[in-house]
Amino acid sequence: MIPPRSTPPPSLPPPGVEKMRAEGLSAWFGQKRALKDITLPLVEHKVTAVIGPSGCGKSTFIRCLNRMHEVVPGARSEGQVLLDGASIFGREVDPVRVRRRVGMVFQKPNPFPAMSVRDNVLAGLRLSGITPPDPNRLAEEVLRQAALWDDVKDALDLPGGALSGGQQQRLCIARCLALEPEVVLMDEPCSSLDPVATAKIEDLIHELRERYTIVIVTHSMQQAARVSDYTAFFYVGELVEYDEADVIFTKPSDPRTEDYITGRFG
Amino acid sequence: MRAELDAAYSGRTLAARAATAASCVAVAIAMVPLLAILLYVAQRGLGALSWSFFTRLPNPVGESGGGMANAIVGTLELVGLASLMGIPVGIAAGLFLAEYRTTMLTRVVRFSADVLAGVPSIIVGVVVYATVVVRMQHFSTLAGALALAVLMLPLVARTTDELARTVPDSLREAALALGASRWRIAIHVVLRTAGPGIRAGCMLAVARVCGETAPLLFTAFNNRFWNESLGDPTSSLQVQIFTYTMSPYDDWHAQAWAAALVLVAIVVVLNLAARRVLRGPKAA
């Protein structure tokens, strides 16, 4: 058993603009505490990876960032999450608006099976009651951004479930991008995909960084090392270490981080 | 060891064959009443069917001939109106049950729907008689349709509930993360995903009330002529079959068989339509 730290881990002042920030964030499922006092900055136009063994709270953490944590029955949180300096938990803040600014891609590709590929891309807008002026152009533009256009340009009317797993996941990314979010949260987006599809998504993440701020949860350390600028290591609900990815993977300062990235546990 | 395994395997093969055979026999037994009804009704009804059956009103007692045009239209009117009332409310209630699973109200509504589904249809008829017919002081098409709608309501609600709950939560999460509100998720994601099944469930509910006679006896009553408005009593195939079968006239008996055949045909067509709808989009 590793003794709990007495002081929160230092969060470096990152070079660049801070897009989001968790401040003393804790989360519970009923009586069970899943996150303990997390303070973590998320830098604009950078990829921040959250790594750690299963059950360390990394998914719970990113679900707090777009208020998806609170939709689980019995779940609650304390502390602050700031988006452009303003709290997303304020009384006057509508979670629906937060989720439009902070999009999310899930572990398992979840396109809407009853909708065509095109309708899936536009689903976010339609579900918000918005009819885009030129839906076909928007769909093409977003599918290109998600590096899926060439795969599906002749299959726009097929149901979303007819695509391969990797294509479905890129469709979900496109669906998220269609809402023009500022931050994109990805919860183990490649864990159900084969290596080729994984490589495509990783390339995509590299490109998307220019337009979006990205937070990716992964339990693959290689993936975190490949795609991220900053890496945060979580362990049993605590943030153990946060630093530039190079530093985390070459000279981590906490022995627990070192044990994890060298494969001694987790 | 090897011999034991072989022995066990041949035993299991035998058991599997026996089970298959037993299932086939059970299917055959279940088919007998269905085929018997269809064939018997067709045999007795076809002879009495004629063009005038579909186009003419019933003749006065003692005169042979005449038709049931008003009853056919009446049945379609009653069932159509009942569907207009029962299906939207039933689907909305079913979506509520599926989307708000943990509230106290959900349990109360679900329990009520189950009880309502088990209430004998004649009791629904009596209640509509006491609350609507007595107050309006006359029988009416509207009252009959209302009684049928009440019978459809729990069927549609529970089918929608069951099917909506088979829609994976991952889709609700996806929609929620796209910034959708609960009611839009219910309509655009849940209803759309479960759509084919719910449509089929509605068709089956329609088919079921097509055959209901008891609740119509003292709500829509009967009418020897065309009903002039929805406030008038109306004839229906169900009640005509009942009335004509109870009569002492051979001519009316024959007409009752013809009416039975037409009613069965309506139900069969609706069931086939429901099956088509159920199969259609799923194949994609």
Side-chain angles (χ1 to χ4, degrees), chain B residues 25-35:
Chain B
V25 171
V27 169
I29 292 174
M31 292 293 288
V32 167
L34 176 67
L35 289 177

Side-chain angles (χ1 to χ4, degrees), chain A residues 30-52:
Chain A
Q31 294 299 310
K32 196 174 159 286
R33 191 167 183 182
L35 282 182
K36 290 174 198 155
D37 207 18
I38 307 288
T39 297
L40 184 66
L42 301 167
V43 185
E44 190 162 34
H45 298 305
K46 299 284 180 195
V47 178
T48 304
V50 180
I51 61 167

